[in-house]
């Protein structure tokens, strides 16, 4: 009885109950005390975890928070159960379910790849690219790529002009381009893609794509022409980061390594033995790489020199 009353009080206190607002973002960890007062968690307590198949992450430098995508359970078990967690830079939980605390006004089935650009969160969700306000979590738009053949969108990157590039890892093995107004088209179709996964936009506006099927790190111009190929230390790759100085970091989800490729150099392994090292992100404030670990339901943290 007490648990039911507490849950009810918490929901009434922390949810905006207005007819004008359907979507509600989650709030930082806290409870309602016996006096009925909302009580944030004490700063001397840290909570870790909160993930359900952590596939990718991205970083919000304005709030100094990591956004972790949680794909949830297989859709045959439960549809529309994906969510986004806010994580502090030390790995402790800020908001367990930020996008996804309520399903009102929200569709987020199985979020995989993610990217942030100009105050917008972009998420690859099966055959749709969904966008959210980075400050509030409010859903903004849904760009279907299904008519162009997408059925398993995975890696995602966003250019400075708002053009979206997203990989489709299963057949048809492609990278799609979605214009800022939502029009989807095929950017790269087939070879040299071999189970394409991670996608990034480099400092020259070119599109960098990695494969699960080999160790190629491929750079395409905006016409879809392959202009350069480099090589990670291992194959089975998932995540790609390109930093401001042009250094590339690649994660192998199959073999658990992080490769670093400096401009003009060969790949070196800077970390290994990481189970299911998925779609990594770069925390530019703490200068660290954050490593989602899929069904290990965890994030790894790799400080950089």
């Amino acid at each position: 009885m007490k648990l039911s009353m507490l849950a009810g009080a918490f929901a009434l206190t922390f949810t905006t109950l207005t007819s004008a607002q359907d979507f509600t973002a989650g709030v930082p960890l806290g409870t309602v005390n016996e006096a009925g007062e909302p009580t944030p968690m004490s700063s001397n307590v840290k909570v870790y975890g909160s993930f359900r198949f952590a596939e990718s992450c991205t970083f919000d430098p304005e709030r100094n928070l990591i956004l972790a995508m949680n794909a949830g359970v297989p859709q045959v078990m439960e549809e529309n159960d994906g969510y986004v967690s806010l994580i502090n830079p030390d790995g402790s939980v800020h908001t367990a379910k930020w996008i996804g605390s309520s399903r009102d006004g929200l569709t987020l089935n199985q979020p995989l790849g993610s990217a942030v650009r100009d105050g917008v969160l972009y998420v690859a969700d099966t055959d749709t690219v969904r966008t959210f306000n980075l400050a509030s979590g409010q859903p903004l738009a849904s760009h279907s790529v299904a008519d162009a053949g997408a059925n398993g969108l995975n890696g995602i990157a966003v250019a400075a002009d708002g053009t979206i590039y997203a990989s489709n890892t299963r057949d048809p093995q492609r990278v799609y381009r979605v214009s800022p107004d939502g029009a989807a088209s095929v950017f790269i179709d087939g070879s040299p893609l071999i189970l394409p996964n991670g996608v990034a936009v480099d400092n020259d506006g070119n599109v960098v794509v990695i494969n699960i099927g080999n160790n190629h790190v491929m750079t395409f111009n905006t016409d879809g022409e392959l202009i350069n190929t480099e090589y990670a230390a291992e194959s089975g790759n998932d995540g790609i980061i390109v930093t401001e100085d042009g250094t590339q970091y690649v994660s192998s989800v199959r073999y658990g390594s992080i490769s670093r490729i400096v401009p003009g150099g060969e790949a070196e392994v800077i970390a290994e033995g990481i189970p299911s090292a998925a779609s990594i992100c770069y925390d530019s404030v703490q200068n660290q790489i954050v490593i989602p670990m899929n069904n290990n339901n965890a994030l790894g943290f790799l400080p950089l020199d």
Side-chain angles (χ1 to χ4, degrees), residues 57 59 66 89 239-243 247-251 257-261 270-271 274 277-292 299-305:
C57 63
F59 182 66
I66 299 153
I240 172 75
I241 295 167
V242 182
T243 59
T247 300
Q248 299 170 329
Y249 295 90
V250 178
S251 58
S257 62
I258 305 294
S259 294
R260 175 165 55 198
I261 308 171
I270 61 170
I274 308 160
S279 188
I280 53 180
C281 64
Y282 176 57
D283 169 356
S284 58
V285 175
Q286 280 69 223
N287 192 32
Q288 62 181 350
I289 291 176
V290 184
I291 311 163
L299 298 180
F301 292 78
L302 173 60
L304 299 175
D305 298 335

Side-chain angles (χ1 to χ4, degrees), residues 173-259:
Q173 296 177 39
R174 292 172 172 169
V175 174
Y176 290 98
R177 175 164 44 200
V178 182
S179 66
D181 64 2
S185 60
V186 176
F187 178 59
I188 307 165
D189 191 5
S191 181
L193 304 179
I194 305 176
L195 303 178
N197 199 333
V199 183
V201 174
D202 71 14
N203 300 316
D204 296 319
N206 298 311
V207 182
V208 185
V209 183
I210 57 175
N211 290 321
I212 295 178
N214 59 27
N215 68 338
H216 293 192
V217 181
M218 303 167 291
T219 300
F220 298 85
N221 63 23
T222 53
D223 293 323
E225 299 168 338
L226 181 65
I227 59 175
N228 190 34
T229 301
E230 297 171 281
Y231 304 93
E234 294 188 301
S235 61
N237 293 312
D238 192 317
I240 172 75
I241 295 167
V242 182
T243 59
E244 287 186 0
D245 66 359
T247 300
Q248 299 170 329
Y249 295 90
V250 178
S251 58
S252 173
V253 69
R254 284 186 175 172
Y255 303 112
S257 62
I258 305 294
S259 294

Side-chain angles (χ1 to χ4, degrees), residues 125-155:
D125 185 12
T126 312
D127 60 3
T128 302
V129 174
R130 305 190 191 279
T131 63
F132 301 86
N133 184 292
L134 185 58
S136 68
Q138 181 77 30
L140 297 176
S142 296
H143 304 307
S144 175
V145 194
D147 288 345
N151 56 20
L153 296 179
N154 201 332

Side-chain angles (χ1 to χ4, degrees), residues 23-39:
F23 172 79
T24 302
V27 297
L29 294 174
T31 62
V32 174
N33 67 16
E34 192 171 12
E37 301 164 334
T39 307

